[in-house]
Amino acid sequence: MTLITADPAQVQAILAATHDDPFAFLGPHAENGETVVRTFQPGADEVSVIDAANGEFMARLYRVHPAGFFVGTLGPGRGRPAYRLRIARGDETWDADDPYRFPPVLGDMDVHLFGQGNHFRLYQTLGAHPITFDGVEGVSFAVWAPNATRASVVGDFNQWDGRRHVMRLRREIGVWEIFIPGLEPGARYKYELRARDGHLLPLKADPFAFYAEQPPETASVVYDLSRYAWQDGGWLAQRAARQALNAPISTYEVHLGSWRWTEQDGAWRPLSYRELADSLIPYVQEMGFTHVEFLPITEHPFSGSWGYQPTGMFAATSRFGTPDDLRYLIDRCHQASIGVLIDWVPGHFPGDPHGLGYFDGTHLYEHADPRKGRHMDWDTLIYNFGRTEVQNFLIASALFWIDQFHVDGLRVDAVASMLYLDYSREPGEWLPNQFGGNENLEAIALLKRLNELVYGRGDGAITVAEESTAWPMVSRPTYLGGLGFGYKWNMGWMHDTLSYIGQDPIHRRYHQDALTFGLLYAFTENFVLPISHDEVVHGKGSLLGRMPGDRWQRFANLRAYLGFMFAHPGKKLLFMGCEFGQEREWNHDASLDWHLLDDPAHRGAQHLVAELNRMVREVPALYACDTSHEGFEWIDARDNANSVIAFLRRAPGTGEVAVVMCNFTPVVRHDYRVGVPAHGTYRPRLNTDSASFGGGGIENPPEIHSEAVEWHGRAASVTLTLPPLATLVLTGPGG
């Protein structure tokens, strides 16, 4: 057997991790009719080659550099043999597969689809994946870093030494890849990248990692997503009907880290995903919500961002457990007939050094020009939505949560910040589009394509836009010129009505337009009425805290407002704690104040919300036409002198209407006459002043018969007693 030497220049390049193609030099190669094997094993005393099948000795490798570079020959005619390395250091000897003997893992189709922006399951290609490759178990790694001059996988398994596992570059698309045999799920890792100018970048977490260390640690963790066995087929089969425009949808918005805490070893901590499955789900069922919506569960370094500054768009945050623990929570929700929405944040990302910013030594994911690439309000970076690969990254992330975690919909955060190039910018701080306008055409294209893909699958998943401006047709199909979302948060309704209810009742007569204005545009979009986390932070106080008056009036105002909200056209969303009258402003670092339920007033508010949810589910008039003018009629919006409004809700074809009366003063209105659509008997369905809700208990008879007295332009009418600061709902014939 001939002793083979190695090119000193190439050896030095391997030792310095500057070799431009280590796979062309390391591993097995046919040279001069023989198979030469080269390997870099820092600290090894001896290395030999053994047969991978039977462990028999094949050849000794000779150290040609004291740093641990070994080379030898297997003799003629070996080709690309299946071998392992037997490594000795001191008294230790172990066998290991050589990562440089394996061919590329990525196929040409993966590369081409990514380059075209059409690899919608890109998470199956990039990132870290436990696989069996050429009969060997290990983990394949792939990362997009086209401008790096070197990429290495580093971790505990190689002492975080970037020389040990330098990756192969697929030059046509700028993806680096390597298969590391013997690695298993649970391995911690990052990418070490060298920029074009030769300097090493901060170690980068994997943009496609499925799991990460718990903050403040930032390493990615190899995770196998193939092991979970779903049990929610029944829910998925009926999901489309449960989330349709004519379905009752009432969503409980939850921040997982502060919903409820538990004591462990003398300290308090948030519930885990699995603990939430045992406590949150029964609570949501008891309260009657149809859906839960989780504030962002993608991995994020700063807990104070509530998840809205994510670094791991494919990783479930490890704060509450593993990805499969989150799947278990979602699965259990589905088995309990509860839909699950998640906040998804494509509008911006933080500049933490381990994240996406300046990823390969260039502005790869973000715009280079801060006039397009940085949000001044949040000091975060903005994706380059016009870059094909970045658009593919974001769309693949959205579809990932639907495919792999069975989420029922995505609430897309801060859409307005994506739509407008001058969002929160002064003149001179932004760049116009190619036509001179302020519309972000690239972001618009991304959102339209995302919605077309989500709805084009036909599996019932939905998208919801948090869009705070008057951008037209947000929730209209793209073929009609819309953005294609299924629903849009009605931020205008929320701001106007909270402003109204915050007024002292004596002044409300001058602000009734704030209460009624929303009906001028209520059916221009498919609206969700949101009382969200944003309304109970940053000095705004709690929802209960916004209510004027003494303690009794505050709770009465809260009940009346919630009654008005649930009877109003639009799907419903309520942030946790609002349902029982949380007193304090929301604190993401503490549990909700569940002890308040020892107080009858708080229990009454909670009981009211459960009854409102039940009423909405059971009365089709209150949900079937939430997004259509056919389901709404004003009875009287002009009685501002008494701060009373009255309206009808209809469900065509049912023959039944809901008559809604709201009295926003602390005065009882006796013998208040209201026009109704038909003669017959009307029955009180809900009264927020009921004693069971903590109210004063001023009630109407169980049956109210119409009279042939024309009122409010209608041939029939009824007389009612309107309780103070209360919403009253009657059901009866619709004519």
Side-chain angles (χ1 to χ4, degrees):
M1 183 175 292
T2 305
L3 177 61
I4 305 295
T5 60
D7 179 356
Q10 294 200 64
V11 171
Q12 194 58 47
I14 294 294
L15 300 181
T18 58
H19 200 291
D20 61 357
D21 187 5
F23 278 85
F25 187 59
L26 296 176
H29 296 278
E31 297 178 6
N32 300 319
E34 295 188 304
T35 299
V36 176
V37 175
R38 303 183 188 93
T39 185
F40 176 44
Q41 300 294 333
D45 296 325
E46 296 181 2
V47 178
S48 56
V49 177
I50 61 174
D51 191 297
N54 55 31
E56 292 184 359
F57 177 86
M58 297 175 68
R60 178 186 174 188
L61 304 185
Y62 296 89
R63 182 161 52 191
V64 297
H65 193 285
F69 196 93
F70 294 81
V71 61
T73 178
L74 304 184
R78 290 280 189 170
R80 181 179 286 273
Y83 68 84
R84 305 189 79 198
L85 301 174
R86 179 158 289 166
I87 304 165
R89 181 176 57 213
D91 296 333
E92 293 182 279
T93 300
W94 67 93
D95 298 342
D97 284 283
D98 183 359
Y100 291 95
R101 81 167 176 85
F102 293 90
V105 175
L106 299 186
D108 290 339
M109 183 59 69
D110 290 318
V111 172
H112 294 321
L113 284 175
F114 180 39
Q116 296 164 2
N118 294 324
H119 200 326
F120 303 131
R121 295 191 172 183
L122 186 60
Y123 54 85
Q124 295 180 343
T125 297
L126 299 185
H129 300 275
I131 62 172
T132 299
F133 190 49
D134 278 3
V136 177
E137 293 184 354
V139 177
S140 69
F141 295 88
V143 62
W144 179 54
N147 300 300
T149 58
R150 191 255 294 172
S152 301
V153 183
V154 295
D156 295 328
F157 48 87
N158 62 13
Q159 292 76 53
W160 300 87
D161 184 348
R163 304 172 301 167
R164 301 284 294 274
H165 292 102
V166 180
M167 306 172 80
R168 172 194 287 115
L169 175 62
R170 300 295 298 269
R171 298 182 187 279
E172 64 270 40
I173 194 60
V175 171
W176 300 79
E177 59 122 30
I178 193 172
F179 172 71
I180 302 182
L183 275 193
E184 297 179 346
R188 300 188 310 144
Y189 71 99
K190 284 186 177 181
Y191 294 114
E192 183 179 274
L193 305 177
R194 186 186 297 276
R196 283 179 173 174
D197 64 5
H199 81 277
L200 289 179
L201 297 165
L203 294 182
K204 293 291 187 177
D206 187 349
F208 286 83
F210 299 143
Y211 194 37
E213 288 185 293
Q214 286 198 32
E217 303 304 321
T218 58
S220 301
V221 179
V222 176
Y223 196 87
D224 186 356
L225 282 181
S226 68
R227 299 176 179 177
Y228 188 81
W230 289 92
Q231 308 291 324
D232 63 348
W235 165 265
L236 295 179
Q238 60 183 349
R239 178 166 68 181
R242 294 289 189 98
Q243 304 192 142
L245 297 178
N246 63 352
I249 297 179
S250 178
T251 302
Y252 188 52
E253 189 188 32
V254 177
H255 177 256
L256 294 179
S258 58
W259 182 71
R260 191 190 295 272
W261 284 27
T262 187
E263 188 176 13
Q264 180 179 6
D265 300 328
W268 289 87
R269 62 164 178 82
L271 298 181
S272 69
Y273 292 128
R274 289 184 177 265
E275 289 168 336
L276 285 160
D278 292 333
S279 55
L280 175 63
I281 292 172
Y283 182 74
V284 171
Q285 286 183 301
E286 177 187 350
M287 294 301 298
F289 290 99
T290 64
H291 288 67
V292 292
E293 180 176 312
F294 298 144
L295 270 63
I297 48 80
T298 43
E299 194 57 83
H300 51 282
F302 178 45
S303 295
S305 77
W306 315 328
Y308 288 101
Q309 294 185 12
T311 51
M313 291 295 281
F314 296 81
T317 180
S318 58
R319 288 168 172 84
F320 316 115
T322 69
D324 279 352
D325 291 337
L326 174 58
R327 286 163 139 184
Y328 175 81
L329 171 59
I330 295 171
D331 201 355
R332 286 276 303 276
C333 283
H334 288 169
Q335 293 172 49
S337 296
I338 298 168
V340 179
L341 309 177
I342 63 168
D343 270 4
W344 182 67
V345 188
H348 63 134
F349 61 94
D352 294 72
H354 71 281
L356 298 177
Y358 211 61
F359 188 78
D360 64 354
T362 67
H363 298 284
L364 187 65
Y365 285 89
E366 72 274 17
H367 281 285
D369 192 323
R371 291 173 294 178
K372 293 184 72 176
R374 182 175 291 276
H375 273 305
M376 302 306 175
D377 284 353
W378 306 313
D379 193 27
T380 52
L381 303 175
I382 302 172
Y383 290 103
N384 184 347
F385 300 117
R387 184 162 193 163
T388 299
E389 299 90 344
V390 173
Q391 188 177 111
N392 198 159
F393 167 80
L394 291 171
I395 288 176
S397 168
L399 299 180
F400 167 79
W401 294 103
I402 297 172
D403 287 340
Q404 296 297 316
F405 283 78
H406 290 201
V407 301
D408 303 296
L410 305 171
R411 179 267 198 184
V412 183
D413 176 63
V415 170
S417 74
M418 300 173 66
L419 295 176
Y420 298 97
L421 293 166
D422 60 346
Y423 180 85
S424 197
R425 295 177 187 272
E426 299 297 326
E429 295 179 349
W430 61 281
L431 296 175
N433 63 34
Q434 65 199 66
F435 304 108
N438 67 341
E439 302 88 357
N440 190 330
L441 304 179
E442 297 165 342
I444 294 167
L446 167 69
L447 293 171
K448 287 183 174 182
R449 192 180 191 208
L450 166 68
N451 287 317
E452 288 170 353
L453 288 167
V454 171
Y455 283 95
R457 296 147 54 100
D459 60 6
I462 63 174
T463 58
V464 182
E466 185 214 12
E467 202 286 308
S468 55
T469 74
W471 188 280
M473 303 178 68
V474 170
S475 58
R476 295 293 181 261
T478 58
Y479 62 80
L480 295 178
L483 291 182
F485 286 94
Y487 295 94
K488 172 182 171 175
W489 275 20
N490 194 337
M491 310 291 281
W493 174 90
M494 177 268 297
H495 285 296
D496 289 346
T497 60
L498 285 177
S499 172
Y500 174 86
I501 202 66
Q503 299 286 338
D504 188 297
I506 200 170
H507 301 306
R508 286 176 179 166
R509 65 173 61 193
Y510 306 111
H511 301 278
Q512 188 139 317
D513 58 331
L515 200 65
T516 61
F517 179 68
L519 270 305
L520 293 177
Y521 60 87
F523 309 111
T524 60
E525 301 276 5
N526 303 328
F527 278 125
V528 174
L529 308 183
I531 302 299
S532 74
H533 63 281
D534 279 328
E535 307 319 309
V536 294
V537 290
H538 302 321
K540 297 175 184 176
S542 66
L543 184 60
L544 178 65
R546 288 172 176 253
M547 304 299 157
D550 58 24
R551 177 177 168 83
W552 188 92
Q553 289 194 24
R554 288 169 59 222
F555 275 96
N557 274 305
L558 175 66
R559 294 192 302 267
Y561 180 75
L562 291 173
F564 165 71
M565 171 187 175
F566 275 73
H568 193 286
K571 308 308 181 186
K572 315 301 185 290
L573 179 138
L574 193 63
F575 184 58
M576 64 182 199
C578 294
E579 80 277 11
F580 62 79
Q582 172 90 358
E583 295 271 7
R584 294 183 300 115
E585 184 173 275
W586 172 52
N587 177 5
H588 69 272
D589 280 330
S591 173
L592 294 180
D593 293 329
W594 294 101
H595 64 274
L596 294 176
L597 290 172
D598 294 335
D599 185 306
H602 292 281
R603 284 202 311 275
Q606 183 191 52
H607 178 41
L608 169 66
V609 172
E611 182 57 33
L612 287 169
N613 276 323
R614 188 161 73 94
M615 178 183 70
V616 168
R617 291 197 316 273
E618 294 177 355
V619 179
L622 293 175
Y623 67 80
C625 289
D626 269 330
T627 61
S628 169
H629 64 86
E630 295 177 327
F632 179 86
E633 293 179 29
W634 277 117
I635 297 175
D636 186 8
R638 298 176 297 176
D639 189 7
N640 59 302
N642 292 313
S643 297
V644 172
I645 61 170
F647 56 87
L648 292 176
R649 297 294 308 279
R650 293 183 180 273
T654 65
E656 183 182 71
V657 298
V659 177
V660 182
M661 304 290 303
C662 299
N663 176 15
F664 287 109
T665 62
V667 178
V668 181
R669 306 293 177 187
H670 296 284
D671 299 321
Y672 194 95
R673 187 169 290 276
V674 184
V676 292
H679 285 290
T681 300
Y682 291 81
R683 295 176 174 82
R685 182 61 178 79
L686 181 128
N687 175 7
T688 64
D689 189 56
S690 170
S692 65
F693 304 142
I698 296 175
E699 303 283 358
N700 285 275
E703 293 186 347
I704 304 166
H705 303 287
S706 66
E707 302 172 87
V709 177
E710 185 176 345
W711 210 260
H712 293 135
R714 301 172 187 274
S717 61
V718 297
T719 57
L720 302 169
T721 298
L722 301 187
L725 296 175
T727 294
L728 180 65
V729 180
L730 313 176
T731 56

